[in-house]
Amino acid sequence: MQGMHLTADLHDCQCTAHWLLDAEALGAACVEAVEAAGLQCVARLFHTFPATEHGPGGVTATLLLAESHLCLHTWPEQRAVTLDVYVCNFGGDHSTKAHALLNALVTLMAPRHVERHALQRGEVMALSS
């Protein structure tokens, strides 16, 4: 169960508003970024939340990957986005692909400030004889 888990909190995103509001457009961009990173999307769910007294509704894009998952959530009233990329490294190290995917989506959102975190998950354990 060894893998790489990346998160990023994006603040003051300078992208055009449709990336924060349009679930289908954002979802399509996520699928393209997944494929460009060399990962495989096996299922997807895109959802737009209704507007509130605080502003327009945000978007959640979730892509199930053969390697694990990508989740993205937008807060258009704050011009903020959270990203979550997890890849299992079973059968090969996909860490570089995870970083490429995260970087592509950060670039799309054009934040003025980014908080990134990386967590190496699981341990490589020697088999006992």
Side-chain angles (χ1 to χ4, degrees), residues 59-82:
V59 170
T60 291
T62 301
L63 280 73
L64 198 59
L65 307 178
E67 301 80 8
S68 199
H69 71 262
L70 160 67
C71 292
L72 186 148
H73 309 281
T74 72
W75 284 267
E77 72 280 7
Q78 298 177 28
R79 297 204 63 84
V81 175
T82 61

Side-chain angles (χ1 to χ4, degrees), residues 19 22-33 44-46 59 61 63:
W19 294 122
D22 185 335
E24 290 303 316
L26 182 58
C30 287
V31 170
E32 287 179 22
R44 58 190 95 174
L45 178 62
F46 311 135
V59 170
L63 280 73

Side-chain angles (χ1 to χ4, degrees), residues 124-129:
V124 177
M125 302 189 64
L127 295 176
S128 301
S129 47

Side-chain angles (χ1 to χ4, degrees), residues 86-102:
Y86 177 55
V87 292
C88 298
N89 285 332
F90 183 79
D93 187 350
H94 300 290
S95 300
T96 301
K97 295 174 184 179
H99 283 283
L101 174 56
L102 187 82

